[in-house]
């Protein structure tokens, strides 16, 4: 509890500094403003006529972002994107400029990296909390992170300043929709056929939670992840007495492609890591969130640095500061509540959000209008 208070205080101090700071990397932004010549009161990033920011809304929405990411190990960046694109109206604002104009691309890149600030913070807190609880497969997270480093540097370097808002929205939605369909398939009897170990471990975990709730003395962390063997070609571990194994080379390769795609979309990559960890690694959902968070954290640090240092992408520090406070709150609550939610319910939450977000942004990006209403 004391560590949580220290974390909250530290993030609050960081946020206070952010509130007083000016948007960074003014040169790229100034050039974009000079080209577009927007009119009106200064708003987002100090751009004349841009949407005005309400940091209270950002704080509340970020609590939801932190909770959902720390609970299912995914959708933090996607939900952050929903907030920045739709709730703040930055998506429609960017689209108001021609797709080849610098301001369209500056705002689009700013949305992408702002999403990643929130996910990176949530991933750091979630990784720590799940590791303490014995629900993080450290070798698997390391293997994914190794691949994530190169992928998360490569894509910002190749695409920053080159992607219009319309194209970004369409691809954003399409990938999310695809993952929703795949996770739905995994809930069917055919999709569950090769998930015996994951199901057995999930049932053992749920039984221990119920026993603990009824007053039994159960050391949850002691029964958590225990690594038995870790070499460059094989890793074996147990979780609540159930044995799991994987080849570390596979998550290294998977981590590269997942981080590259996530960096392009401006999200954390958890929505790709979750099906990877449940399908390829065969993990139960109770291990997925923490392991996903660790891999996401490494990718986010690299991607943020690439966008901001190499491509001079600006962010609104005042908004980021308020959102980081919300992220801390949501990320502390998530690991504490997720153990009480049945594994199947966690998957259905993921699937529902994937279909909703996927349909909304696929149609908005490729058709110009959304077939589903905003939150």
């Amino acid at each position: 509890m004391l560590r949580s208070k220290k974390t909250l205080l530290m993030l609050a101090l960081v946020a206070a500094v952010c509130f007083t700071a000016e948007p960074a990397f003014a040169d790229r932004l100034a050039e974009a403003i000079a080209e577009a010549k927007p009119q009106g009161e200064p708003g987002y990033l100090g751009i004349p006529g841009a949407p005005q920011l309400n940091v209270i809304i950002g704080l509340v929405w970020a609590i939801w972002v932190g909770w959902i990411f720390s609970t299912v190990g995914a959708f933090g960046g996607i939900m952050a994107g929903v907030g920045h694109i739709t709730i703040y109206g930055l998506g429609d604002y960017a689209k108001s400029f021609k797709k080849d104009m610098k301001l369209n691309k500056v705002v689009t890149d700013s949305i992408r990296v702002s999403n990643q600030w929130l996910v990176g913070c949530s991933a750091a807190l979630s990784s720590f909390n799940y590791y303490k609880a014995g629900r993080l497969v450290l070798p698997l997270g390391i293997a994914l992170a190794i691949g994530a480093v190169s992928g998360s540097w490569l894509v910002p370097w190749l695409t920053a300043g080159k992607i219009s808002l319309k194209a970004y929205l369409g691809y954003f939605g399409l990938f999310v929709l695809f993952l929703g369909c795949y996770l739905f398939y995994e809930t069917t009897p055919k999709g569950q056929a090769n998930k015996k170990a994951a199901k057995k471990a999930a049932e053992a975990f749920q039984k221990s939670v119920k026993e603990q709730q009824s007053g039994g003395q159960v050391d949850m962390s002691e029964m958590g992840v225990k690594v038995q063997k870790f070499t460059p070609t094989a890793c074996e571990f147990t979780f609540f007495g159930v044995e799991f194994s994987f080849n570390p080379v596979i998550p290294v390769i998977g981590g590269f492609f997942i981080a590259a795609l996530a960096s392009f979309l401006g999200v954390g990559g958890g929505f790709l890591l979750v099906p990877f960890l449940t399908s390829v690694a065969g993990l139960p959902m109770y291990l997925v969130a923490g392991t996903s968070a660790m891999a996401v954290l490494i990718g986010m640090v690299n991607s943020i640095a690439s966008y901001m240092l190499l491509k001079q992408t600006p962010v609104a520090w005042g908004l980021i500061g308020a959102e980081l406070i919300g992220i801390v709150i949501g990320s502390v609550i998530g690991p504490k509540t997720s153990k009480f939610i049945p594994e199947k319910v966690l998957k259905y939450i993921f699937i529902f959000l994937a279909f909703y977000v996927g349909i909304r942004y696929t149609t908005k990006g490729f058709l110009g209008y959304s077939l589903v209403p905003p939150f």
Side-chain angles (χ1 to χ4, degrees), residues 37-43 46-50 52:
K37 297 181 175 62
Q39 302 294 320
E41 291 293 321
I47 303 170
Q52 299 293 321

Side-chain angles (χ1 to χ4, degrees), residues 127-367:
S127 298
F128 176 71
N129 289 327
Y130 279 114
Y131 180 75
K132 287 196 305 177
R135 292 167 58 190
L136 189 157
V137 186
L138 189 60
L140 182 53
I142 291 172
L144 287 166
I146 290 171
V149 170
S150 53
S152 57
W153 270 97
L154 180 64
V155 169
W157 181 71
L158 292 175
T159 68
K162 300 176 183 178
I163 303 297
S164 70
L165 196 282
K166 183 176 181 181
Y168 168 60
L169 289 182
Y171 291 123
F172 181 98
L174 199 59
F175 280 108
V176 177
L177 187 58
F178 170 78
L179 265 299
C181 293
Y182 185 80
L183 262 293
F184 179 76
Y185 163 76
E186 284 210 325
T187 65
T188 65
K190 187 175 181 180
Q192 287 288 306
N194 61 345
K195 301 289 188 299
K196 293 181 180 179
K199 185 177 181 180
K200 184 178 179 182
E203 289 173 349
F205 179 82
Q206 290 170 348
K207 181 179 179 182
S208 297
V209 170
K210 291 179 181 178
E211 186 177 340
Q212 190 179 56
Q213 285 180 292
S214 62
Q217 296 298 317
V218 181
D219 189 342
M220 299 291 286
S221 60
E222 183 61 29
M223 297 176 69
V225 174
K226 301 295 179 186
V227 177
Q228 308 296 321
K229 176 184 178 182
F230 185 28
T231 70
T233 58
C235 179
E236 298 174 1
F237 66 94
T238 62
F239 178 66
F240 278 75
V242 180
E243 295 184 357
F244 295 87
S245 64
F246 65 93
N247 185 335
V249 175
I250 295 175
V252 169
I253 297 171
F256 170 81
F257 287 105
I258 289 171
L261 183 55
S263 187
F264 171 77
L265 296 175
V267 297
F271 74 105
L272 291 168
L273 284 166
V274 167
F276 180 88
L277 291 171
T278 57
S279 299
V280 179
L283 301 187
M285 283 293 290
Y286 295 113
L287 290 180
V288 166
T291 307
S292 171
M294 180 181 173
V296 166
L297 173 61
I298 303 301
M300 289 301 89
V301 171
N302 280 278
S303 188
I304 290 169
S306 185
Y307 273 116
M308 299 190 71
L309 299 181
L310 297 183
K311 295 299 181 179
Q312 297 186 328
T313 300
V315 295
W317 288 115
L319 176 61
I320 295 294
E323 290 177 328
L324 288 181
I325 295 173
I327 286 293
V328 171
I329 297 171
S331 300
V332 169
I333 296 172
K336 297 181 183 300
T337 59
S338 65
K339 65 182 180 180
F340 300 113
I341 305 174
E343 184 184 37
K344 185 172 288 188
V345 174
L346 290 176
K347 282 192 175 182
Y348 282 133
I349 290 173
F350 185 102
I351 292 166
F352 170 77
L353 292 174
F355 274 100
Y356 174 85
V357 174
I359 293 171
R360 175 170 176 77
Y361 288 103
T362 298
T363 54
K364 191 174 180 65
F366 292 125
L367 301 180

Side-chain angles (χ1 to χ4, degrees), residues 44-45 53 65 76-77 79-81 83-85 88 90 106-121 168 265-267 300 303-304 307-308 313-317 319-321 323-324 327:
Y44 183 67
L45 298 175
L53 304 180
V65 173
M79 286 295 115
H84 294 136
I85 293 168
Y88 279 115
L90 298 179
V106 167
V107 174
T108 300
D109 286 347
S110 182
I111 292 171
R112 294 159 83 184
V113 77
S114 295
N115 297 344
Q116 293 181 337
W117 268 99
L118 306 194
V119 180
C121 177
Y168 168 60
L265 296 175
V267 297
M300 289 301 89
S303 188
I304 290 169
Y307 273 116
M308 299 190 71
T313 300
V315 295
W317 288 115
L319 176 61
I320 295 294
E323 290 177 328
L324 288 181
I327 286 293

